[in-house]
Amino acid sequence: MPVLVASDLDRTLIYSSAALALTMPDARAPRLLCVEVHESRPLSYMTEAAAQLLTDLGDAAVFVPTTTRTRKQYQRINLPGPQPAYAICANGGHLLVDGVTDQDWHAQVLARLAEECAPLEEVREHLMATADPVWVRKHRVAEDLFAYLVVERELLPEEWVKELAAWAENLGWTVSLQGRKIYAVPKPLTKSAAVREVARRTGAHLTLAAGDSLLDADLLLAADRGWRPGHGELADSGWSAPEISALPERGVLAGERIVREFLRASRPKA
Ligand SMILES: [Mg+2]
């Protein structure tokens, strides 16, 4: 029976140059592998050591990339190791099986959203009406499922984010601030629901998980064991749970440590 490893990607396994958090002298920095190119420019990295570990993990476990990214944003990532049989995109809204979305799963998700939370349009109108163009760079809708803003973080009023979160809560939506992006996501749209579906289909007996943001909290809570890096929304808010290890590493080195922990926990004990 396989071990299932469901991991968030951005700022958990892969890091933009702004998120690397390299603090050692340049001459002792780890060698980095670029795993994502966007508009002909390098965008995301992992350490070479993490890349090797991830390749090994592909043989030891069912590795499931579990991301809030849209399918298109996910598909331009070029992770080392075998092509994952399952991947979760759009925060659980799409379950890719051998790279193709599972329509039955997607239909189930849409039915749940229609029943349990306010429609996307209402949230989008609110964002349009209240977000100040002084600090908003882009308004985006992802996969017709949720919305996010790209903002100037230095100009973003903390108070506005708090008010938005309280407003969204009443509509059955969650707000998450990650780097330059503010996400508004329906509460029933979760990574954990999609991971449970993969566990059911694969017959996994053990689920491991990792993540850094508020949108990963349900994923971590649904896992048998998990890890979170020393940076990010969960670390900043002091979030903890019994089976979740809070790692001291920050940035791309946290990513390496997480894959090492996944591999160690996936291998049968000698
Ligand atoms: Mg993340």
Side-chain angles (χ1 to χ4, degrees), residues 141-155:
V141 166
E143 302 269 20
D144 285 325
L145 290 170
F146 62 90
Y148 65 92
L149 306 177
V150 181
V151 299
E152 289 297 338
R153 190 67 187 260
E154 309 76 47
L155 301 176

Side-chain angles (χ1 to χ4, degrees), residues 7-239:
S7 183
D8 174 48
L9 296 178
D10 292 273
R11 296 178 188 228
T12 296
L13 286 193
I14 68 174
Y15 292 78
S16 67
S17 59
L20 291 173
L22 296 171
T23 53
M24 69 293 285
D26 290 346
R28 276 197 268 138
R31 200 179 287 150
L32 300 173
L33 179 72
C34 176
V35 294
E36 181 185 18
V37 169
H38 181 45
E39 291 171 348
S40 307
R41 290 203 174 89
L43 185 57
S44 301
Y45 302 87
M46 56 200 310
T47 68
E48 270 194 0
Q52 181 57 54
L53 291 165
L54 190 60
T55 303
D56 297 344
L57 184 67
D59 296 325
V62 178
F63 169 61
V64 184
T66 304
T67 180
T68 304
R69 286 183 177 223
T70 64
R71 286 170 290 171
K72 194 174 166 212
Q73 290 165 343
Y74 166 70
Q75 276 156 346
R76 68 178 183 235
I77 303 174
N78 193 352
L79 290 174
Q83 163 89 12
Y86 296 95
I88 291 163
C89 293
N91 216 58
H94 285 283
L95 171 58
L96 305 190
V97 182
D98 295 322
V100 180
T101 201
D102 185 300
Q103 293 297 349
D104 290 341
W105 174 253
H106 186 59
Q108 278 182 50
V109 169
L110 293 182
R112 248 195 105 185
L113 297 187
E115 196 150 300
E116 297 178 17
C117 63
L120 171 63
E121 204 40 50
E122 190 174 344
V123 174
R124 189 163 156 71
E125 275 167 20
H126 182 80
L127 291 173
M128 284 292 193
T130 64
D132 192 334
V134 167
W135 44 262
V136 173
R137 290 293 159 264
K138 293 170 188 168
H139 284 262
R140 289 282 181 269
V141 166
E143 302 269 20
D144 285 325
L145 290 170
F146 62 90
Y148 65 92
L149 306 177
V150 181
V151 299
E152 289 297 338
R153 190 67 187 260
E154 309 76 47
L155 301 176
L156 174 70
E158 239 174 76
E159 212 35 49
W160 183 85
V161 180
K162 277 189 198 149
E163 281 168 25
L164 175 68
W167 179 85
E169 178 76 30
N170 290 323
L171 274 72
W173 285 60
T174 303
V175 170
S176 172
L177 177 60
Q178 303 176 34
R180 298 197 310 129
K181 289 178 180 162
I182 302 173
Y183 293 87
V185 176
K187 281 183 187 289
L189 186 69
T190 62
K191 293 180 175 183
S192 59
V195 168
R196 282 197 193 93
E197 176 66 10
V198 177
R200 192 184 65 78
R201 292 186 189 191
T202 56
H205 71 289
L206 179 71
T207 298
L208 310 175
D212 69 298
S213 85
L214 226 49
L215 295 176
D216 299 312
D218 69 284
L219 170 68
L220 291 168
L221 290 172
D224 298 298
R225 263 191 90 186
W227 292 266
R228 67 141 173 90
H231 62 261
E233 258 183 326
L234 294 178
D236 293 347
S237 65
W239 186 92

